[in-house]
Amino acid sequence: MVFWFVCYLVVVWLISASDESCPELPFVENGIIVIKEVEGQILGTCLCIKGYHLVGEKTLFCNASVEWNAPVPTCRLGHCPDPVLVNGEPSSLGPVNVNDKITFKCNEDYILKGSNWSQCLDNHTWMPPLPVCKSRYCGPPGNPAHGYFEGRDFNSGSTITYHCEDKYHLVGTRDQQCVDGEWSSALPICELIQEAPKPIPQTAFEKALFAFQENKELCKAIENFVQRLKENNLTMEELKYSLENKKAELEAKMLS
């Protein structure tokens, strides 16, 4: 404490002796400011004690406006939180000083996900973020609804094959491989196969269409048309399908 008080008095005395019009610099906790005159200009250099790092401008000078060119810097504790790598090992296990870099390595059967190095920044954070070590082996894959997979080996390099139940078809990748702890593709899905509507019997089809021939009033004809569809248990979708079939038959006859 006596040492820092003496340093503070020396700084104040030097400033006052060199240029009485320059404002006094405040005390820097965990550091000192060394004042000197260079070519008629007052310069202040801030130094931090061991274990602390400087945040801000290291060198200050009194400008023409009789003001210091930048705010007084601070001295912060000079290391980042200890790096932790589960199933791996960083190159340094102890406190890492600001601006220092470390590297990472995973244990056998584990693969590094993320950057293999990181640097301790001024704000005591790691950048890039610390990586993780992930197992090279994949866990059991999921089953899609109405589907299943074949394969019992989930180790790195193994493959599985997906299948769907009857009346369903697979959408996605059928064969997948375990690559560095992850399956090579997203889980596929099993979609219901849409069955085509059954063709409408010709008699029922004709009865529905005759409604337009029997009545010249459009509204009345439409009403009769809908009524006959209901009487014959027909839907508009089935009628559309039958019309398309009829059109295809006529086109085929014209081409033959």
Side-chain angles (χ1 to χ4, degrees), residues 48-64:
C48 296
I49 64 175
K50 185 177 180 180
Y52 290 79
H53 70 279
L54 189 73
V55 177
E57 295 290 336
K58 181 178 181 179
T59 302
L60 306 176
F61 63 88
C62 193
N63 55 32

Side-chain angles (χ1 to χ4, degrees), residues 236-252:
M236 291 298 295
E237 186 66 26
E238 291 171 332
L239 182 60
K240 177 184 176 183
Y241 180 73
S242 293
L243 287 173
E244 290 175 348
N245 281 346
K246 193 67 176 177
K247 177 183 177 183
E249 291 175 3
L250 292 173
E251 291 176 347

Side-chain angles (χ1 to χ4, degrees), residues 172-233:
T173 305
R174 182 177 298 276
D175 298 316
Q176 299 195 22
Q177 185 177 28
C178 177
V179 181
D180 293 333
E182 296 180 354
W183 293 105
S184 55
S185 300
L187 184 70
I189 59 176
C190 292
E191 286 188 350
L192 181 65
I193 299 174
Q194 299 294 332
E195 296 183 358
K198 296 180 180 179
I200 302 174
Q202 189 66 19
T203 54
F205 175 74
E206 292 174 349
K207 286 180 180 180
L209 292 181
F210 281 160
F212 290 95
Q213 298 178 4
E214 295 172 354
N215 200 317
K216 295 182 179 180
E217 293 184 9
L218 181 60
C219 292
K220 188 64 176 177
I222 293 175
E223 183 180 344
N224 292 339
F225 171 72
V226 173
Q227 180 64 31
R228 293 185 183 184
L229 285 179
K230 292 181 180 180
E231 291 174 354
N232 291 276
N233 295 321

